[in-house]
Amino acid sequence: MAGTLRPPRQQPRSSAPGRAGAGWARDDDRRPRPDPRPGPGRPRRPVRERRGPGGPRHLSRFHFDRVVTAAGGEPPGALRRRLLLERAAYHLVRHPERTVLDVAVEAGYGSHEAFTRAFARAHGVTPTAVRADPPVTFRSLELPGASGVHFQPPGGLRLPAQRKESSMDVLQQLVDHHVDALTTIIASAGTLADDVLDQPITQSVEGVDDNPTLRGLLNAMVTQEEHWLNALRGGDWPDESDQSVAGLAARHAVAGRGYRAFVAQSIADAAMADTFVDTTCEPPVTHTVGGTIAHVVTFGAVCRTLAVGALWTAGIRDLDQADPRPRLDGLATR
């Protein structure tokens, strides 16, 4: 009868061996299918491009996580959560006008409670406690992570250094900088006339020397190297008679090389607390190796700064080595 709904006519199930329960099978399904494995005459199937953290990749999510974890020591998901919590800590301290819930939502949490639990578990204190008693620097809010990657305010990342440096490395670099800078300053002073070298340097405050001149500052820095080397060797006060620019350069070539080697050996031997008797003084005085090096770095920097200022006044203004920061920055990126 027209309009009557009839059930669809079912196809007979296949009774072929091994195909029981296949249902709706067609005869042409029994044709041999191509071997998906690569081999001679069988090109490899192209890998389907996937998208995920880091953009397009030719890896599954599982293998991508394994590769990133092996390279950086931290799974991508854990890295992302840690960075978001570090950023949240920064916003809590830096933006007191924002509510904790605003910071929580920005960090990917759906509620105040969930964010507070995660934050306290990671930082050891609640968001409210961090806001009430902020640390001196943001570095105190960084969370430990094997990758060494951290959030860098206001919106960047701080990558780990290519190599580790200790305080002793920095000390050696400061001494190296002082010795090399003094070499350059002496060379620059060689282009000036004697009256310029002997012109008094005007200071608005009391200095380390009375009536300093450029020549006198250069001699003081070279004598400082010679003095402490002689003291360590049990010798007398150094001979300061040759204060010509050529003489200062020759004296510094010897003393600077010796002083640099002395600092390097003291660091290698961990001998900063060792003591020695300064026989150049009357009466003799006992000093530590570390105190002596700190003395040279400190007062050498004062004399070096005055000398650079005197050269600047004399028209020599291309002394890039006066500041140790660019040198140490360059060494850190090598």
Side-chain angles (χ1 to χ4, degrees):
M1 181 181 296
T4 301
L5 295 176
R6 296 181 179 180
R9 181 177 299 176
Q10 293 186 353
Q11 298 290 336
R13 294 181 180 271
S14 172
S15 58
R19 295 184 65 85
W24 310 102
R26 296 168 54 94
D27 291 340
D28 55 3
D29 283 340
R30 301 177 183 178
R31 291 177 300 176
R33 300 189 179 186
D35 189 346
R37 296 172 299 176
R42 295 193 298 271
R44 182 182 297 273
R45 288 182 179 179
V47 179
R48 182 174 58 182
E49 183 182 88
R50 301 174 184 267
R51 290 185 176 271
R57 50 188 168 81
H58 297 283
L59 294 171
S60 68
R61 176 60 183 267
F62 172 75
H63 286 91
F64 176 78
D65 287 356
R66 291 187 62 185
V67 170
V68 174
T69 303
E74 190 173 13
L79 172 63
R80 181 176 182 274
R81 287 190 298 270
R82 180 172 60 80
L83 293 176
L84 288 174
L85 286 173
E86 289 183 353
R87 187 181 68 175
Y90 166 74
H91 286 311
L92 287 169
V93 174
R94 181 67 177 81
H95 302 287
E97 73 282 358
R98 301 182 61 183
T99 66
V100 175
L101 181 58
D102 290 338
V103 177
V105 171
E106 187 180 48
Y109 293 86
S111 68
H112 182 292
E113 292 75 15
F115 171 69
T116 299
R117 287 194 300 269
F119 190 94
R121 186 166 52 248
H123 288 278
V125 293
T126 63
T128 305
V130 167
R131 176 167 279 178
D133 186 20
V136 177
T137 66
F138 178 75
R139 289 286 182 94
S140 301
L141 296 174
E142 292 180 348
L143 298 171
S147 65
V149 179
H150 293 281
F151 172 73
Q152 176 65 36
L157 293 177
R158 180 170 61 84
L159 302 180
Q162 297 180 0
R163 57 188 175 88
K164 296 293 183 181
E165 283 193 354
S166 67
S167 57
M168 293 297 99
D169 294 325
V170 176
L171 178 61
Q172 180 67 61
Q173 291 165 7
L174 286 174
V175 171
D176 291 344
H177 167 263
H178 175 71
V179 173
D180 292 340
L182 182 53
T183 301
T184 303
I185 292 172
I186 293 175
S188 299
T191 63
L192 301 177
D194 287 341
D195 59 334
V196 177
L197 292 173
D198 299 325
Q199 181 178 353
I201 297 175
T202 303
Q203 300 181 90
S204 59
V205 295
E206 187 72 20
V208 294
D209 294 309
D210 296 332
N211 303 318
T213 64
L214 179 55
R215 189 192 303 276
L217 291 171
L218 297 178
N219 178 67
M221 286 186 282
V222 174
T223 303
Q224 192 178 51
E225 297 170 332
E226 296 171 330
H227 164 212
W228 292 114
L229 287 174
N230 285 7
L232 289 163
R233 297 163 180 163
D236 299 326
W237 189 266
D239 180 9
E240 302 179 60
S241 59
D242 190 353
Q243 297 187 18
S244 65
V245 174
L248 290 168
R251 289 166 54 194
H252 174 60
V254 176
R257 181 173 61 251
Y259 188 76
R260 194 198 304 254
F262 153 68
V263 173
Q265 189 62 50
S266 300
I267 291 175
D269 296 340
M272 292 297 156
D274 289 2
T275 59
F276 66 96
V277 177
D278 183 1
T279 57
T280 65
C281 297
E282 186 60 42
V285 181
T286 300
H287 302 292
T288 63
V289 171
T292 300
I293 296 173
H295 172 84
V296 174
V297 170
T298 300
F299 287 96
V302 173
C303 295
R304 192 174 66 244
T305 302
L306 287 174
V308 170
L311 290 172
W312 183 280
T313 302
I316 300 176
R317 305 183 177 184
D318 57 348
L319 293 173
D320 295 335
Q321 290 195 19
D323 183 3
R325 181 188 52 79
R327 178 185 180 121
L328 269 65
D329 288 350
L331 291 173
T333 58
R334 291 181 181 176

